[in-house]
Amino acid sequence: MKPAEFGYHRPCEVSEAVALLAGLGDGARVLGGGQSLMPELNARRITPVHLVDITGIGSLRGARRVAGGVRYGAATTHRMVEDGLVPDAGGGLLARAAAGIGHRAVRTRGTLGGSLAYADPAAEWPVVFAALDATVEVCGARGVRSLPARELPRGAFRSGLATDEIVVAVEVRSLPQGRWWGLHKTAGTAGAYASSLAVVLFDTDARGRLEQVALWLGAARETPVRLPATELLLTGRSAAGLDVAAVLPGVAQDLGTVDAAPDDAARHGLRVHAATVCRALARAAPVVSAAAGEGAGAP
Amino acid sequence: MNEVSPRLRVNGAEHTVTVPARTSLADLLRDRLGLTGTHLGCEEGVCGACTVLVDGLPVRGCLTLAATCDGAEVVTVEGLTGADADRLRAAFSREGALQCGFCTPGMLITAYDLVRRRAAGSPEEIRAGLGGNLCRCTGYQALVRAIASAAGESAGEPGTRGGAEPGTRTGESHPRDRA
């Protein structure tokens, strides 16, 4: 199908975009790379009166190093992260996450800010930026504000953005040398949304036991969730010896599901999440410093 | 602003076309420029038949508004030229990598991108790279063989790697990234 008619606006500045959104009100939607919005428009599941295309705003594209981290413009594409055209504050984590999003032809257009604003519970960036405790900068008619990435998603496909606000940038503190990251996505087919997505960060002691574990899960609830009981369970253990059975009690406690639940689907889902956590741990890699990716624009 | 007039360079020729703002790039190419080689299947980004190159990068023609392509360089299957494109066409023909032909334009564009990025080094890599293109005749074995064959010839070609167009290979920045 084809989209219904809409008024199209392509501002060149953030201030212009925000003024347009404030003036147009509830009938307007923000268009980023369009890789989630366009299928909705084509199927006429949504019929906005106006589209405000923010991909013409040059200042939103690209990334630059800031003290202790990297600032990513909202219109930075998944491909730019995948290909190392921007620095990787996750020491390889961001590039891995980006490479798993959709297909190449989707990653060439889809954007970081769009993914955050769209707040798909199964998307990569909300859970990755939550795990990294990133800060999101948004701009609206009343000015600029910053909030933790963990607080931006408010529900499935619902973000904490006001109708006149757009995501401007995401700032991520660089993971220190010595820290490890792991990401695993379980999905039905290549390019599909995750049925489970685990992101784990940890240190190791001299004997390879896990310390300072941070574990986040996507596609399990309406918004990314932290798994504190599983973090505790993993602490002091060696990643090598962990299987699904070992991790399952922690994940069950964190998700409030019991492995003996009468609902087959709930039990299956729990096991998928536990297996995804195990694979993220098993394939974890040490942080590599991101020397590459300088000079790809400056938001 | 319900009409837009993007200025596009399509297969080397300049066009400025006035279309309703809701027009996708694929519809503009097919309905206004007569380039019906670009096929529309699902129109929700799943099948990949509408894949074209915009500024050297593969995109879904159905998930890209023509309006957002102002100033862009577009290459469709009709305009896919050069040694790698010729090798791919020959290999598709030799290996029987098409049956009904509906998916072929998107397959050729995706395969071209894989070969140019040196991302078609093994059958596994090719299968992963074709993940976003569906062939409902299920002729995937022949497609993988054809792309592997063309990629092998391309890799053996001295100087090809360094001679690729800007922006078409992994790790290279593209002017639009800096826009």
Side-chain angles (χ1 to χ4, degrees):
Chain A
M1 280 174 65
K2 318 289 181 189
E5 297 254 12
F6 49 74
Y8 177 80
H9 309 266
R10 191 172 166 85
C12 298
E13 301 289 341
V14 171
S15 55
E16 196 186 338
V18 165
L20 272 167
L21 288 168
L24 296 170
D26 286 346
R29 285 296 294 258
V30 177
L31 178 70
Q35 301 303 289
S36 296
L37 204 65
M38 284 299 299
E40 297 292 298
L41 290 169
N42 285 356
R44 303 199 183 187
R45 283 188 289 264
I46 55 169
T47 52
V49 185
H50 294 276
L51 275 191
V52 178
D53 177 358
I54 60 169
T55 58
I57 305 174
S59 64
L60 295 181
R61 206 170 166 88
R64 63 179 161 84
R65 288 184 191 279
V66 293
V70 182
R71 178 184 164 91
Y72 299 93
T76 303
T77 62
H78 312 319
R79 178 196 73 97
M80 292 166 74
V81 180
E82 177 187 16
D83 288 356
L85 300 178
V86 294
D88 190 332
L93 170 59
L94 297 191
R96 170 75 65 81
I101 300 172
H103 306 287
R104 182 77 179 174
V106 167
R107 299 194 289 273
T108 55
R109 292 198 69 82
T111 65
L112 270 56
S115 169
L116 288 174
Y118 200 69
D120 190 315
E124 271 79 352
W125 295 126
V127 62
V128 167
F129 288 133
L132 291 169
D133 198 14
T135 302
V136 180
E137 186 181 303
V138 306
C139 185
R142 281 168 299 174
V144 176
R145 67 184 174 112
S146 291
L147 73 165
R150 295 172 180 180
E151 291 174 16
L152 186 61
R154 296 287 168 82
F157 305 102
R158 206 155 49 81
S159 80
L161 294 173
T163 50
D164 64 345
E165 283 182 322
I166 63 169
V167 176
V168 174
V170 188
E171 221 167 283
V172 187
R173 285 188 303 277
S174 295
L175 289 180
Q177 291 285 324
R179 198 132 170 89
W180 288 61
W181 60 267
L183 178 146
H184 188 76
K185 173 182 180 177
T186 301
T189 58
Y193 275 98
S195 43
S196 180
L197 181 64
V199 178
V200 65
L201 306 172
F202 58 86
D203 294 339
T204 55
D205 69 10
R207 295 164 65 181
R209 291 173 304 200
L210 308 184
E211 291 178 331
Q212 304 291 323
V213 182
L215 176 62
W216 283 76
L217 196 61
R221 292 287 180 267
E222 289 202 345
T223 60
V225 285
R226 188 165 190 169
L227 306 183
T230 315
E231 289 173 358
L232 196 63
L233 183 152
L234 292 169
T235 302
R237 308 277 294 263
S238 163
L242 291 166
D243 58 13
V244 175
V247 172
L248 199 65
V251 179
Q253 190 183 333
D254 284 319
L255 296 182
T257 320
V258 284
D259 191 32
D263 179 356
D264 287 345
R267 281 206 308 280
H268 172 72
L270 176 60
R271 283 167 180 279
V272 168
H273 292 310
T276 305
V277 168
C278 282
R279 288 174 191 174
L281 283 161
R283 293 167 195 182
V287 163
V288 289
S289 78
E294 300 285 1
Chain B
M1 282 190 70
N2 287 328
E3 285 203 330
V4 292
S5 300
R7 186 175 43 84
L8 305 164
R9 190 173 174 86
V10 182
N11 299 334
E14 296 279 355
H15 299 274
T16 302
V17 190
T18 300
V19 290
R22 60 176 172 159
T23 308
S24 71
L25 175 60
D27 279 333
L28 181 148
L29 293 169
R30 288 177 55 83
D31 298 344
R32 299 300 300 274
L33 301 184
L35 294 168
T36 53
T38 299
H39 290 171
L40 277 160
C42 68
E43 294 188 269
E44 55 180 20
V46 173
C47 78
C50 64
T51 307
V52 295
L53 297 177
V54 172
D55 293 325
L57 298 169
V59 307
R60 300 287 202 229
C62 74
L63 299 188
T64 304
L65 288 176
T68 68
C69 296
D70 186 39
E73 169 99 37
V74 180
V75 175
T76 69
V77 71
E78 291 95 336
L80 204 59
T81 54
D84 284 323
D86 291 342
R87 280 191 275 260
L88 277 164
R89 282 196 200 88
F92 269 52
S93 172
R94 187 169 66 242
E95 299 289 346
L98 68 160
Q99 292 177 46
C100 82
F102 191 87
C103 72
T104 309
M107 289 289 182
L108 277 169
I109 297 280
T110 299
Y112 179 80
D113 177 61
L114 291 174
V115 169
R116 298 307 290 257
R117 283 193 292 125
R118 297 288 182 262
S122 68
E124 293 70 31
E125 206 178 1
I126 293 167
R127 284 191 198 99
L130 284 186
N133 291 73
L134 302 182
C135 167
R136 290 300 75 178
C137 307
T138 70
Y140 296 106
Q141 305 280 7
L143 279 160
V144 173
R145 278 202 308 274
I147 296 168
S149 167
E153 292 167 34
S154 180
E157 181 94 332
T160 307
R161 188 168 191 137
E165 294 148 24
T168 56
R169 287 193 358 257
T170 301
E172 270 186 23
S173 181
H174 187 275
R176 256 173 111 80
D177 292 338
R178 284 185 255 264

